[in-house]
Amino acid sequence: MKINDVILETVTRIVVFIILTFGVELFLSGHNNPGGGFIGGLVLSSAFVLLYLVYDIETVQQGIPFDYKKIAAFGVLLAVGTGVAAAVFGVQFLTQTASHFNLPVFGDTELSTVILFEAGVALTVVGVVVTIILSISEDV
Amino acid sequence: MLTITIAILIPFLAAILVPFIYKRVPSRNVGWFVLLVPLALFIVLARFIPAVSSGETYIHTIKWIDSAGINFTTYLDGLSMIFGLLITGVGSLVILYSIYYLSEREALGRFYVYLLMFMGSMLGVIFSDNLMVLYVFWELTSISSFLLIAFWYHRKKSRYGAQKSMLITVSGGVAMLAGFIMLHTLTGSFSVREIISTIGQYTGESLFLLAMLLVLLGAFTKSAQFPFHIWLPDAMEAPTPVSAYLHSATMVKAGIYLVARFTPVFGGEAIWFYTVSCVGIFTLFWGSFNAVRQTDLKALLAYSTISQLGLIMSLFGLGSAALNEGYSADSVIYTQATFAALFHLINHSTFKGALFMVVGIVDHELGTRDIRRLGGLMSFMPVTFTIALIGSFSMAGLPPFNGFLSKEMFFESMLNVRNLDIFAMGTWGTLFPVVAWIASVLTFVYSMIIVFKTFLGQHQPARLDRVPHEAPVGMLIAPSILAVFVIGIFFFPNVIGNYILRPAMAAIYPPFEGAEGLVPYIVAWHGFNYMPLLLTIGVVIVGGGLYLFLRYWRSVYEIAPFSWTLDRLYNGILVQAEKGSSHLTRFYMTGYLRDYLVYIFAFFILAVGGSMFVTGTYLFDLSGDAPITINEYIFVFVMMGAGIAIIFAKSRMTAIILNGVLGYSIAIFFVVFRAPDLALTQIIVETVTTALFLLCFRFLPEWKKEKTAPSTKVINAIIAISVGTIVTILALTVQGNKMFESISVYFEDAYELAGGKNIVNTILGDFRAFDTMLEVVVLFIAGIGVYTLIKLKARKGEKDVEDQ
């Protein structure tokens, strides 16, 4: 089904990038401010959902040729993998660590292994939500 | 030593890599890559032989759930080394063989993934020192063998065999788990080594006996002892390399390993002695008795494996008697039985592996394994015939093959039993050698059937679909190597005895360590007056006679009432269980969503409301609450309005949007109460689910008012009101009750402990990361579930796989 809605399409073109940026911002700032992997992932997937609602599936698929099932699987593996990686360093499963670095542009930045774990969560959320919505909408 | 831990994990890692390699290289070459894994592991293990034979053991622990005593501890001693060498050694040969056996059209990637998984789990079973880890690997072998047996899953028989083996071995495994937990309760440890070192203190306890029987149940189901042997013949539906591997060298030997490993724990108990030796000897007889009547070569080998496993098992049972007396010159003689068991274990793997491969070659080249259609193949397949000859003569216990040595030791141990004056063996002891001898005669008969009915006699081209010819060289390499071992071990048995069996004996008899006579010097020739030799000669004479006159006495098998077999019992139980569960399921699965909600809510009302009512814990205390502002009143009324409006909504759209109002209002409440994380989540979840609802409901028919009976309406109303009331009371009561000290103080240190200022996020990512991780996994499974339910429907006209 093709919706011919110029206003919605035009707005979406801009808004999607705002949502995506917002999602990434939420994801990155999650450790100290509201946000995190789950919310970030949800925001990102809502951007994708908006795209799919406004344009049709084929068009979006041409632009973003991702297999969302694989994204979800990769996310789960990443989340579990960070836990296992902790065991390799001889600490308990899922132990996370963080420390401060002085980066050239960003200045004093905190880098934490939680970000990897959260990235896994975010990818899983994006993958699963879009997979579910695509499967249901394609099932006619 | 970390090496052993890594050795367990390598097959699993390789299994992960296989699908990637499978895509990139010609599928036949995948096998060569896989072959590297067991070969490398075999070399690594072989390098340990000198150290282990001089009495060294290696242990390595990775902490897992330390507080519960569950750690990933690997332990390498003589006993686990034998099994490790068999698993990797025979594994290499089996993979080499399968490269030539399986056609490129088969799903080779899948096959090798399963095989590597199986190999890894077997290594896990034998190297684990921790009982819980051992159990996990134990069940993993059941699962991976299930996948292997069902490799040709489009065949009904394969599925049946896989299910049967899975049901029997897994239920035995669960019993074993219960036994392990009892052992833990008794000894306070999950470590096998620690249990062995403290075991003397617990022998009298009743839990000890129960634990022993449960552990034995696990061992018996796994190594196909009577009456659990029925799964093994059906498991022969697997591809032949799998049969050669699982059913000659590895999976069935896991049960043997368990018995050997636990001999120092339970050995010396009369019940252990009797159960293991009697079940073993009966299985020996029953397997050999049934093997003779088989007409399918693979089924014959299956029963012969059952029988040989029984032999090994009975020897372990007899050998355990030595632990009852403690070390003395008299008791050392009984340890010979255990030595014979270990020796025969190795021999059996060599000759049975070779025989399985031979049968596979016959099947591969001629397309049949039916003895009645085969015959006269000797001139067409001389090499195969030679290997078959070596294998079956070794199995029959003839010189100059390794089976002869272990068979003689077996007879000697059985004769020694008569002199055992513990456990009232004086009266029953004579039965053992008698049964053993009869079973050996039958073993001789079926060994002769394998080689002579297939390769000698009349060639029947009319009954064969293909012209027989020798197998390709690649397929002959693996069985030839095994055949070389069969002969080699006969001439140099003491190499194995000293370097491989000696440390294993020390592991089974820790109190006897270093004792004289624990490892006998194996000789093939004891002189003419040697009783076992006379018995062997008797076996050959009587067995030869029975083989020649087979068709005259074969009718013996028709006498027994065959409607009373164990297979029939198993099938009966299966059918009844299916019927019963389908009745039960049909009773409550009505197909109406309303009914399911009624169950759920009724349970909620009874469990939560009932317990609140009975214990009187409801409380209505508003004194500690903050005052309600005017804004909050407004939002509450908006929500109430939306909630009531849903009931009167005329279309689905309206209902969905009103439902959205509820969700967004809750989000506003989160904002008001300063929970920005939750508010964000709530808003986005609400948006996405509303979009989802809209997508689903677009395809649904118009919303019509249903006509429901007044009684249903009343019930619905009662349930709805009760649930609402209970939830309200619950929410209010939670406010006033403080049974425990609040743990929120702990999370206030989030910044120091986890380096994050956002408490919610540190809880999700650091403090309770395990929850989050599992939630992600659940989410993923749910997503894949939705996808498969919707996408992977059988196309129209496509035949259901199960019908084939």
Side-chain angles (χ1 to χ4, degrees), chain A residues 1 26 30-36 38-39 42-43 69 72-73 76 80 93-94 96 110 114 117-118 121 124-125 128-129 131 133 135-140, chain B residues 676-677 680-681 684-685 688 691-692 695-696 698-699 751 754-758 761-762 764-766 769-770 772-773 776-777 779-780 783 786-787 790-791 793:
Chain A
M1 189 180 66
L26 273 180
H31 214 43
N32 294 319
N33 291 305
F38 191 73
I39 304 177
L42 269 178
V43 171
K69 297 184 296 297
V76 171
V80 178
F93 186 63
L94 274 174
Q96 313 285 2
E110 187 192 29
V114 175
F117 180 74
E118 296 276 341
V121 174
T124 315
V125 170
V128 168
V129 168
T131 303
I133 288 188
S135 329
I136 290 177
S137 59
E138 278 175 14
D139 179 49
V140 184
Chain B
D677 281 276
L680 258 174
T681 315
I684 301 158
V685 166
V688 174
L692 245 178
L695 274 174
C696 295
R698 205 161 71 83
F699 304 112
Y751 193 64
K757 289 178 193 137
N758 180 359
N761 204 269
T762 50
L764 290 177
D766 293 285
F770 199 65
T772 315
M773 189 193 84
V776 169
V777 174
L779 187 70
F780 177 65
V786 171
Y787 179 80
I790 291 176
K791 282 291 168 85
K793 283 183 286 201

Side-chain angles (χ1 to χ4, degrees), chain B residues 488-539:
Chain B
I489 292 174
F490 176 81
F491 287 108
F492 306 102
N494 292 305
V495 177
I496 294 221
N498 281 325
Y499 287 97
I500 295 180
L501 299 187
R502 183 187 295 278
M505 290 297 281
I508 296 176
Y509 295 107
F512 291 28
E513 208 167 339
E516 282 292 311
L518 201 58
V519 180
Y521 186 76
I522 311 166
V523 280
W525 182 247
H526 295 264
F528 281 111
N529 253 343
Y530 185 54
M531 190 63 185
L533 181 69
L534 300 179
L535 284 178
T536 306
I537 293 170
V539 164

Side-chain angles (χ1 to χ4, degrees), chain B residues 113 151 178 185 215 233 246 252 318 330 386 406 424 492 511 513 526 570 603 670 678 694 766 792-793:
Chain B
V113 168
F151 181 64
T185 316
V215 169
L246 268 64
V252 288
L318 297 182
D330 292 334
T386 314
S406 44
F492 306 102
E513 208 167 339
H526 295 264
Y570 167 83
F603 179 78
F670 284 137
L678 294 179
L694 290 172
D766 293 285
L792 302 183
K793 283 183 286 201

Side-chain angles (χ1 to χ4, degrees), chain B residues 298-369:
Chain B
K298 234 172 142 182
L300 194 156
L301 283 183
Y303 277 103
S304 115
T305 303
I306 294 171
S307 150
Q308 301 280 314
L309 290 170
L311 185 155
I312 299 171
M313 198 63 99
S314 68
L315 283 173
F316 272 118
L318 297 182
S320 74
L323 281 166
N324 182 270
E325 295 189 356
Y327 174 66
S328 69
D330 292 334
S331 63
V332 161
I333 199 171
Y334 306 123
T335 64
Q336 305 294 301
T338 307
F339 186 84
L342 290 171
F343 189 38
H344 196 69
L345 183 86
I346 296 174
N347 296 343
H348 177 244
S349 293
T350 55
F351 65 68
K352 190 57 69 63
L355 281 175
F356 264 117
M357 290 177 189
V358 163
V359 169
I361 289 172
V362 170
D363 191 13
H364 196 262
E365 302 306 321
L366 295 169
T368 182
R369 304 186 302 249

Side-chain angles (χ1 to χ4, degrees), chain B residues 13 32 64 96 136 195 230 242 291 301 310 328 345 388 403 446 512 526 568 601 612 614 642 647 650 722 730 739:
Chain B
L13 293 177
W32 294 109
W64 185 19
L96 177 66
V136 171
I195 290 174
I230 51 171
V242 172
L301 283 183
S328 69
L345 183 86
Y446 71 67
F512 291 28
H526 295 264
R568 214 181 151 88
F601 288 135
M612 265 172 43
V614 171
I647 304 175
K650 284 277 185 298
S722 334
L730 199 66
M739 277 182 80

